[in-house]
Amino acid sequence: AQKITQTQPGMFVQEKEAVTLDCTYDTSDPSYGLFWYKQPSSGEMIFLIYQGSYDQQNATEGRYSLNFQKARKSANLVISASQLGDSAMYFCAMRATSGTYKYIFGTGTRLKVLA
Amino acid sequence: GAVVSQHPSRVICKSGTSVKIECRSLDFQATTMFWYRQFPKQSLMLMATSNEGSKATYEQGVEKDKFLINHASLTLSTLTVTSAHPEDSSFYICSARDEGRAIAVGWQYFGPGTRLTVL
């Protein structure tokens, strides 16, 4: 069975500091994709970053980077230079078996950026 | 980028009534759409996969007779909550898969969500 685990229900970070949000996954599928989404209080799901299982390099998108450690089955999100607007819920997700393309979501981490 | 809309954004209804939520892909065709439900402070739970021109595939534990899904065109899927009760109050989010992007990625674009409150 495929599973996503986010062990940090809540995190605090000082403005302008970097923060790492943890995500581990479990799958037997050799091909998979990992996603991070931000969900502010409005509820919309905002795509942040994507990592494919065969990608050789860690993904980066502006202030977001994904620390992909395939052997450890982890895909941690690193946010650099945190901003007050980064306060939100963050979800790690995995694309399930290729035939269905379903997403499996973790339980989420609520990040609060402090001024 | 690809846009997915949902209508209505908020709905309040009385117990026992039915509510229809629309999900539209605005600038791409989507043969596959997904419906999620999210309770407060919880994660997104997949309810069903909506397939254009065929029956939806429901996840285990989701009542197909209560949550009717229709995917009549390549840009529209609807979720109807029949005989809604207070426990159906939740945030419903749809997503659409853009086959135009790399198939291996299985990219989904999310709608803004619909907040349903059943009194």
Side-chain angles (χ1 to χ4, degrees), chain B residues 29-33 49-57 69-78 99:
Chain B
Q29 294 183 335
T31 57
T32 306
M33 293 184 175
T49 302
S50 173
N51 305 297
E52 187 268 336
S54 64
K55 291 183 179 180
T57 304
I69 292 173
N70 186 302
H71 194 155
S73 78
L74 288 172
T75 59
L76 174 64
S77 175
T78 59
E99 285 84 2

Side-chain angles (χ1 to χ4, degrees), chain A residues 99-113:
Chain A
T100 63
Y101 300 106
K102 293 192 292 188
Y103 282 19
I104 297 168
F105 284 87
T107 51
T109 296
R110 183 167 297 281
L111 177 67
K112 176 72 174 177
V113 180

